[in-house]
Amino acid sequence: KISAQTTNTFLPLERASAAMEGTKHNFGNVLVDFLINLPKARMVAVDLELTGIHIPEEPDSREDSQDQRLDKLCRIAERYAPIQLGISLELGAEAGEHRCATYVFYMFPSVGSFECTASAMQFNREHKVDFNAWVRDGVEYMSREEEQEAMAGGEEAAPETGMLRLWKALVAARLPVVVHGPLDVLFLLRCFERRELPRGQELSDLIGQCFSCVIDVAQIYKEARHHEVAGDLERLALTNFREDAKRLHAKRWSARTAAPCFFTFDEATEARYGTADGSHAHEAGFDSLATLQLFCYLAELIPEVVRGSAHRLFLFHHEKCIQLDPSSFQSDAGDLSETLSGASLGGSSQLEADAEQSGGAEEEWHDDLSFEDCGQWGGYAVQADYGVQADYGDQWATSSGATAASAEAMWSQHYIGIIKGFNHSTQNGFGFITCYKTYQIYERDVFLHSAQLGDCQVGEVVSFEVHLNQRGQPQARDVRRVAQA
């Protein structure tokens, strides 16, 4: 066992640092950033790296009942402790672009003791967990129950140490939570709510008090396989599952049988996880982001299965699942999957309606515009989920409804978007590019003339510049296909 007062002398391991990594030394600053983003979030995905994930003397059996397995999982959460907590927030989506912010915290308990297993510690060491940072710099935490006991013992003020402050804000937001397996939810409850977890209906109610909906992507996998709609989704391990879902989505997207789905990061998340080299795999922040991305793909690929998986937690080596009481929760996965569903890829009738809004399908290109400077707007960096390697830096825009007078600084700025459709039936073909950033500026899609289409195809990710016609409406220039991984 290790007590909360234990210090250790593990050899340090090199690790990258970023603003979104929280330790006791910078927790206040990271918490402020988290609290700024939290009101914008539509959902949260979490992942924990743990000191143990099984009870060696009690191996899982297919003969276990659901209640027996749940009891064992609760005892695992009561026995071991988290090393890292990863939290990824989905901050909204437009036209298939999901904006994400991720945080990772080393956390160490303020009180009590916990156990470790050799296999779990070896796993964490192999994946570059810095045990010195965990013990020395981990943010302290305690449960609400332990906080109340401390206050009852004569504390002058509530010892609301560290991570409990973040947890209270997260619970107050009442977001849907996405996990990969049930242990993450149970450990959160043990760390921040009760030292001994309830069982049965009381456990379901406790989870429902913390989150508006629970979605377990591992359970989605099981149900997709059961209903024989999994397609190429053959691997359950998180990173493999995400890659399979990404590949299947790209295949269906290219065939126009799925809406687009891609991701942009805030600056700190881009710096840490924006590359595809896998150097942070199994870090809690990386895994929480992978869980979030995986769910977004699944919501596009198999929405019916996603809807049916709400409030069901996956059981390894078991045919059944843990069924939570839906009445304990405010919403279901069906509502969430519809919210996250990407923009539809319209046909020619939609294109004609868009063209009418943009001033006509036969719009001419104009280079003789005069412009004035506008305010600077820091945007999100594009994540290389489809092989996008460009750095777009700061974008320029007014707060809303930009016109010709507000676009000079944007002339050499490239954006990432998706060709949502193209009409070849007219003499001068036309289409539209949908892009979250330009939509925020112009409140419409970007007109695409046949002269700029080149060999690009509908549904492809492209980079482009924005020029304005005489009516101040956005038109795409220098359109280039973006390589897809």
Side-chain angles (χ1 to χ4, degrees), residues 122-199:
Q122 179 67 21
F123 175 87
N124 283 292
R125 183 179 183 278
E126 289 173 354
H127 291 93
K128 302 180 181 180
V129 169
D130 187 338
F131 294 118
N132 273 349
W134 171 44
V135 177
R136 180 187 61 237
D137 302 328
V139 184
E140 293 185 340
Y141 68 91
M142 63 169 56
S143 68
R144 295 181 196 260
E145 184 180 59
E146 289 161 339
E147 177 191 44
Q148 292 170 359
E149 291 174 354
M151 294 174 62
E155 297 275 353
E156 293 184 1
E160 196 174 36
T161 55
M163 296 296 295
L164 183 57
R165 296 160 58 193
L166 182 147
W167 171 255
K168 289 180 177 180
L170 181 60
V171 168
R174 298 287 293 166
L175 295 173
V177 63
V178 182
V179 295
H180 183 254
L183 278 177
D184 293 321
V185 173
L186 298 178
F187 268 90
L188 288 174
L189 297 179
R190 162 58 189 93
C191 291
F192 299 118
E193 292 293 334
R194 301 189 191 179
R195 185 166 42 239
E196 294 184 4
L197 295 176
R199 308 297 198 262

Side-chain angles (χ1 to χ4, degrees), residues 373-377 396-403 405-407 410 440-441:
D373 288 334
C374 62
Q376 193 174 28
W377 170 50
W396 292 75
T398 55
S399 59
S400 65
T403 64
S406 65
M410 297 175 60
Q440 292 294 99
I441 302 167

Side-chain angles (χ1 to χ4, degrees), residues 43-61:
M43 62 177 297
V44 58
V46 297
D47 180 84
L48 293 114
E49 301 304 321
L50 305 166
T51 66
I53 59 172
H54 69 282
I55 299 176
E57 62 272 20
E58 297 182 36
D60 290 341
S61 170

Side-chain angles (χ1 to χ4, degrees), residues 212-227:
S212 65
C213 179
V214 175
I215 307 100
D216 186 344
V217 292
Q219 181 62 25
I220 296 176
Y221 171 88
K222 178 186 284 188
E223 297 193 17
R225 304 287 291 180
H226 175 74
H227 294 291

Side-chain angles (χ1 to χ4, degrees), residues 247-267:
R247 189 178 303 110
L248 179 59
H249 175 268
K251 179 180 177 180
R252 294 186 181 178
W253 180 31
S254 65
R256 298 196 69 195
T257 58
C261 181
F262 60 104
F263 306 90
T264 57
F265 295 161
D266 68 356
E267 182 179 357

Side-chain angles (χ1 to χ4, degrees), residues 282-474:
H282 296 296
E283 182 177 84
F286 180 95
D287 285 357
S288 70
L289 182 57
T291 302
L292 178 61
Q293 292 173 312
L294 172 57
F295 175 79
C296 292
Y297 286 131
L298 295 175
E300 293 293 349
L301 293 169
I302 46 176
E304 293 298 327
V305 177
V306 170
R307 279 191 284 270
S309 70
H311 319 309
R312 295 177 180 176
L313 299 177
F314 178 78
L315 289 177
F316 288 92
H317 304 126
H318 204 286
E319 295 180 355
K320 297 184 178 181
C321 66
I322 300 171
Q323 176 65 66
L324 302 174
D325 184 356
S327 67
S328 300
F329 299 87
Q330 292 182 343
S331 62
D332 59 39
D335 299 333
L336 185 60
S337 65
E338 291 173 5
T339 299
L340 292 182
S341 190
S344 61
L345 303 176
S348 60
S349 60
Q350 180 63 48
L351 289 173
E352 290 164 3
D354 291 343
E356 183 178 351
Q357 181 189 32
S358 295
E362 307 273 339
E363 193 64 73
E364 296 296 330
W365 297 92
H366 298 277
D367 294 329
D368 56 344
L369 300 177
S370 60
F371 302 96
E372 298 175 0
D373 288 334
C374 62
Q376 193 174 28
W377 170 50
Y380 280 75
V382 174
Q383 185 254 352
D385 200 60
Y386 281 102
V388 179
Q389 299 295 337
D391 180 9
Y392 300 95
D394 292 326
Q395 310 297 334
W396 292 75
T398 55
S399 59
S400 65
T403 64
S406 65
E408 178 180 15
M410 297 175 60
W411 267 49
S412 61
Q413 300 293 325
H414 276 75
Y415 296 88
I416 290 292
I418 299 165
I419 300 176
K420 67 182 290 186
F422 202 88
N423 188 347
H424 296 277
S425 63
T426 62
Q427 182 177 359
N428 294 319
F430 67 96
F432 290 89
I433 297 174
T434 184
C435 169
Y436 175 77
K437 294 184 180 68
T438 56
Y439 197 92
Q440 292 294 99
I441 302 167
Y442 301 106
E443 299 181 351
R444 66 183 65 206
D445 292 327
V446 179
F447 182 88
L448 174 61
H449 194 275
S450 59
Q452 299 294 322
L453 180 65
D455 62 352
C456 298
Q457 303 294 322
V458 172
E460 289 187 329
V461 179
V462 294
S463 68
F464 63 97
E465 294 180 2
V466 171
H467 286 217
L468 303 182
N469 64 16
Q470 290 179 329
R471 299 170 183 163
Q473 296 163 334

